[in-house]
Amino acid sequence: MPKSRSSLLTRRGLIAAGGALGLVAALTACGGNDSAKDESGSKGKGSAASGPWSFKDDLGKDVSAKSTPKNVVAFTGTAAALYDYGVNVKGVFGPTKTADGKADVQAGSMDISKVEILGNVYDEFNVEKYAALQPDLLVTNTWDGTYWYVPEASKDKILKLAPAAAIGVGGDVTMDKALARTADLAKSLGADLNAKKAVDAKARFEAASAKLREVTKANPGIKVLVGSGSADLFYVSTPATSADLKYFQSLGVEFVVPEKTQEGGFFESLSWENAGKYKADVVLLDNRTGTLQPEQLKAKPTWAEMPAVKAGQITPRVTEPIYSYEKCAQILEELTKSIQNAKKVS
């Protein structure tokens, strides 16, 4: 599970930025299509239709409503994925707006001026505003069997107001499966997966996956370190529990695997004095708001001495991907360029 912005070290095992935590309990048929059937009989069209709506989510719950939900509220990153399929939400919770009023990276292509922001940081969720939206459905991701960014303190109140569906993005799930399940949900809410934009985006993702596999074979031995910087610590994440990194690994990417992991075995936290413990040829650096970026990291001597940093082989890492084929294709393409152009420096 990626560490929340509000606390880089606390809150029930929310682990290092750049990492991912937890085995999702009772994930069901991650790659299958459990969305409601298209009652219109038009193959490939969205499932929005009159009559009952249902969706089996990745917590194993049968989520239902009397009709296709219209007033949808979602975690920002999930909302951004639905937006790419043409499904708009009424409200969002999670990192949406930066301090200067611009859209956070997790908002993707959404116009954040057109959604009600119920909370912008971890543990912030305005229940009164949520109720006022008269929600039909709440949607978020799940890393460890819980609803991501739904505060524990107000969870019961929130979940009483509308049905909730969660898409698995941690544990045994890989990026391709998280993408398929998000597409299933979008279809059930009315998205047309046969629309040109959707078809082209999926084809782009598949082409990008094939290209990354080709490049890792052509440029073997390139070691990639997944890192995240805070004021006091440098985090090195394992690829074992993150949907994106596990998928990249299946395509041939060679990752640095930390030896002494903390927080359940998902990352290793290093003091800045020891930040150079692992040698790598490429650094995938957490790009989320609230983590240190290359310009800020220049003040850390051990960062500057890393072989990959000296060689300028640093690539932003989208630590919490927006699970639409369009956005994930872009991630793959950037990683492919990095590995294709990387020189062995470790």
Side-chain angles (χ1 to χ4, degrees):
M1 178 190 306
K3 186 185 300 171
S4 68
R5 306 267 175 64
S6 61
S7 171
L8 291 177
L9 293 174
T10 59
R11 291 197 173 92
R12 58 178 171 79
L14 296 173
I15 69 166
L21 166 65
L23 296 176
V24 176
L27 284 177
T28 58
C30 291
N33 188 336
D34 293 316
S35 57
K37 293 181 179 179
D38 184 355
E39 295 180 15
S40 70
S42 178
K43 185 177 180 181
K45 296 293 183 183
S47 300
S50 59
W53 172 90
S54 66
F55 181 82
K56 189 165 188 175
D57 79 349
D58 291 341
L59 294 177
K61 296 182 179 180
D62 290 305
V63 187
S64 61
K66 292 181 179 179
S67 60
T68 302
K70 299 297 182 186
N71 292 344
V72 179
V73 172
F75 168 66
T76 303
T78 315
L82 292 175
Y83 179 87
D84 285 348
Y85 288 109
V87 178
N88 294 309
V89 304
K90 297 289 186 180
V92 296
F93 55 96
T96 307
K97 183 184 294 187
T98 59
D100 59 3
K102 295 180 180 179
D104 189 275
V105 292
Q106 292 196 60
S109 301
M110 280 194 304
D111 182 347
I112 62 172
S113 70
K114 294 182 178 179
V115 293
E116 182 76 48
I117 300 174
L118 305 177
N120 201 51
V121 297
Y122 189 77
D123 253 0
E124 181 181 85
F125 192 116
N126 190 313
V127 181
E128 290 73 22
K129 284 185 178 181
Y130 178 56
L133 291 174
Q134 298 183 307
D136 298 320
L137 178 69
L138 181 144
V139 181
T140 187
N141 293 332
T142 182
W143 295 83
D144 59 353
T146 62
Y147 295 101
W148 184 229
Y149 263 77
V150 174
E152 188 65 26
S154 54
K155 177 186 69 176
D156 291 343
K157 291 180 181 178
I158 293 166
L159 297 180
K160 283 180 181 178
L161 292 170
I167 298 296
V169 297
D172 292 332
V173 180
T174 50
M175 175 179 269
D176 54 333
K177 292 183 177 181
L179 281 165
R181 291 294 287 140
T182 304
D184 286 345
L185 177 61
K187 180 181 178 182
S188 81
L189 295 173
D192 181 358
L193 301 189
N194 273 355
K196 186 178 187 302
K197 180 181 178 182
V199 172
D200 288 351
K202 188 173 183 181
R204 180 180 175 185
F205 174 81
E206 291 169 347
S209 297
K211 182 64 175 179
L212 179 56
R213 188 187 297 277
E214 175 187 317
V215 165
T216 57
K217 286 182 179 179
N219 198 9
I222 296 298
K223 284 284 187 180
V224 178
L225 182 148
V226 181
S228 181
S230 70
D232 300 318
L233 297 169
F234 183 65
Y235 302 94
V236 178
S237 296
T238 175
T241 54
S242 171
D244 59 334
L245 301 183
K246 287 175 70 173
Y247 185 65
F248 302 157
Q249 196 170 44
S250 75
L251 298 175
V253 178
E254 298 180 41
F255 288 104
V256 168
V257 179
E259 298 169 355
K260 299 178 180 180
T261 55
Q262 295 92 31
E263 295 285 351
F266 306 100
F267 73 96
E268 182 172 0
S269 58
L270 302 171
S271 66
W272 277 109
E273 290 79 3
N274 298 309
K277 176 179 179 179
Y278 300 106
K279 306 302 179 186
D281 306 298
V282 173
V283 173
L284 278 185
L285 184 68
D286 187 351
N287 76 334
R288 291 179 298 172
T289 305
T291 62
L292 299 184
Q293 299 306 305
E295 191 63 31
Q296 299 163 306
L297 288 169
K298 286 180 179 179
K300 306 290 186 182
T302 47
W303 166 262
E305 289 302 312
M306 292 181 186
V309 175
K310 281 185 172 181
Q313 296 178 172
I314 308 166
T315 297
R317 185 206 173 191
V318 181
T319 305
E320 294 183 59
I322 293 169
Y323 282 101
S324 71
Y325 286 105
E326 176 186 321
K327 295 297 188 293
C328 288
Q330 293 169 13
I331 293 170
L332 283 167
E333 288 162 359
E334 287 301 313
L335 179 58
T336 298
K337 288 179 187 176
S338 297
I339 294 176
Q340 187 172 36
N341 297 329
K343 296 179 180 178
K344 187 72 179 172
V345 294
S346 63

